[in-house]
Amino acid sequence: MIEIRSVPPIPGLNFRPYNGQNDNAELAAVLTASEASDHMDRHVNADDIGRAFQNLSNCNPHEDLLIADVEGKMVGYSRGWWEDGPSPQRWYILTGFLVPEWRRKGIGRALLYGMEQHLREIASTHPPELEKNFQVNVTQFQVGTAALLVHSGYQPVRYYDLMVRPTLEDIPQIPLPEGLEIRPVLPEHYHPIWQLVVETSQEEWGHHPRTEVDYQAWLESLEFQPDLWQVAWGVTANQVVGEVLTFIHHVENNQFNRQRGYTENIGVTRSWRRRGVAGALISRSLMAQKAVGMTESALVVDTDNLSGASHIYESCGFQVVKRDTLYRKPLNA
């Protein structure tokens, strides 16, 4: 049982563990209400929660999830897990959701402190030589959460922008550099494409090693939509040199009455950079999204990306609409 301190004096308030799939509908309702209050386009149901919980890494919902009830009704919850960063770092990640009518009453603070303590207990069983930090992601609309984190000793360490191209008209026609060609994606291409994902991810801030488990999860993910991918091959070397792994969240589009595609997982091998490969693939990705009925596209970019990605995306018509901030603090703080 997760120990809770700083429990606010609210009649009927109770903290409890996850009771299995019978909780999934309430978890989905809390998450959806919380995200809507924070201007997040996210709507989930009990089945979504169940699927997500079947594919968690370093997290057991029965042990690592803390639920807040008031008079038997779920009003919030927090979940924790850990991930390896660049050696010797390990991050202990927290996420939490609280319905708007129960905010600013101390419940969020209690959920945060309770999950921190739980993750400290987990970390105490991990190698002592690791550099251990808590990590929380907050959007620009979660002002109260950001204030709570700063008050609790967290500091912002990175910023990420959601960029949207609000129309798929006037897509720039950008040619591929000579020596490259686009090929339809076949099953035998999946692993070479994944190898470029692994190669380019090594340069990302906060990179953690990709494993065979990650590869299998990628193959089974809802974002695995190879019919939409734009992959450039070197004609002579016969290798993948650039890719945009486009996808569409159809359920999300139905929920929010829009037709948005995602121009994501953009990567170019080092020897082909600054030669127009990314722009050419983005252009083709946007045209592919338009061809299947999309009217807008989105992506997320690290604002400190050293490749100048934000400028490339702006030149392709994307505009910043929201910023997320990554907060961290040492476990012993």
Side-chain angles (χ1 to χ4, degrees), residues 136-171:
V136 183
N137 186 74
V138 176
T139 77
Q140 69 185 66
F141 303 110
Q142 294 176 293
V143 178
T145 302
L148 170 61
L149 292 175
V150 171
H151 178 75
S152 302
Y154 288 77
Q155 296 293 327
V157 294
R158 207 73 171 185
Y159 302 93
Y160 296 89
D161 286 342
L162 172 65
M163 302 184 73
V164 173
R165 195 181 203 274
T167 174
L168 294 184
E169 302 300 325
D170 302 318
I171 299 171

Side-chain angles (χ1 to χ4, degrees), residues 92-123:
Y92 297 83
I93 304 172
L94 304 90
T95 189
F97 305 95
L98 188 61
V99 297
E101 56 267 32
W102 284 100
R103 296 183 177 184
R104 294 176 176 82
K105 301 179 185 296
I107 298 175
R109 180 181 293 105
L111 287 169
L112 173 67
Y113 291 167
M115 189 53 64
E116 281 185 348
Q117 183 56 35
H118 177 65
L119 290 173
R120 284 191 182 96
E121 292 170 0
I122 292 174

Side-chain angles (χ1 to χ4, degrees), residues 50-63:
R51 281 193 297 270
F53 282 5
Q54 289 175 1
N55 294 287
L56 298 177
S57 297
N58 304 318
C59 178
N60 179 349
H62 292 277
E63 298 176 359

Side-chain angles (χ1 to χ4, degrees), residues 246-262:
T246 316
F247 61 88
I248 296 169
H249 279 311
H250 294 285
V251 173
E252 179 186 276
N253 283 343
N254 290 335
Q255 291 166 346
F256 297 104
N257 192 30
R258 67 186 179 206
Q259 295 299 315
R260 172 185 289 180
Y262 285 90

Side-chain angles (χ1 to χ4, degrees), residues 275-311:
R275 298 167 69 176
V277 179
L281 292 175
I282 291 169
S283 172
R284 285 160 175 77
S285 172
L286 294 172
M287 289 187 281
Q289 293 170 61
K290 182 178 180 179
V292 294
M294 299 299 102
T295 59
E296 64 180 72
S297 186
L299 56 82
V300 175
V301 61
D302 178 351
T303 62
D304 292 323
N305 186 298
L306 297 178
S307 68
S310 294
H311 298 299

Side-chain angles (χ1 to χ4, degrees), residues 128-319:
E129 65 272 16
L130 291 173
E131 178 186 327
K132 303 172 183 178
N133 288 278
F134 290 121
Q135 177 173 296
V136 183
N137 186 74
V138 176
T139 77
Q140 69 185 66
F141 303 110
Q142 294 176 293
V143 178
T145 302
L148 170 61
L149 292 175
V150 171
H151 178 75
S152 302
Y154 288 77
Q155 296 293 327
V157 294
R158 207 73 171 185
Y159 302 93
Y160 296 89
D161 286 342
L162 172 65
M163 302 184 73
V164 173
R165 195 181 203 274
T167 174
L168 294 184
E169 302 300 325
D170 302 318
I171 299 171
Q173 306 293 310
I174 304 175
L176 271 175
E178 187 175 349
L180 300 183
E181 65 180 12
I182 303 292
R183 299 178 187 174
V185 178
L186 303 175
E188 57 264 34
H189 300 155
Y190 295 165
H191 205 271
I193 291 170
W194 171 253
Q195 288 177 321
L196 183 55
V197 171
V198 172
E199 175 190 331
T200 54
S201 71
Q202 291 174 357
E203 302 169 3
E204 295 173 356
W205 183 84
H207 161 74
H208 62 88
R210 304 295 181 101
T211 66
E212 180 63 22
V213 173
D214 295 319
Y215 176 60
Q216 294 301 324
W218 178 68
L219 293 175
E220 298 172 5
S221 72
L222 294 177
E223 298 174 1
F224 187 84
Q225 300 174 23
D227 289 346
L228 294 173
W229 294 354
Q230 306 300 311
V231 181
W233 293 75
V235 176
T236 302
N238 193 35
Q239 66 180 12
V240 178
V241 301
E243 59 195 26
V244 177
L245 307 188
T246 316
F247 61 88
I248 296 169
H249 279 311
H250 294 285
V251 173
E252 179 186 276
N253 283 343
N254 290 335
Q255 291 166 346
F256 297 104
N257 192 30
R258 67 186 179 206
Q259 295 299 315
R260 172 185 289 180
Y262 285 90
T263 307
E264 281 286 12
N265 297 297
I266 302 166
V268 178
T269 195
R270 184 178 294 275
S271 61
W272 278 92
R273 292 179 188 171
R274 303 189 185 281
R275 298 167 69 176
V277 179
L281 292 175
I282 291 169
S283 172
R284 285 160 175 77
S285 172
L286 294 172
M287 289 187 281
Q289 293 170 61
K290 182 178 180 179
V292 294
M294 299 299 102
T295 59
E296 64 180 72
S297 186
L299 56 82
V300 175
V301 61
D302 178 351
T303 62
D304 292 323
N305 186 298
L306 297 178
S307 68
S310 294
H311 298 299
I312 297 173
Y313 305 151
E314 288 171 353
S315 71
C316 291
F318 288 87
Q319 307 165 10

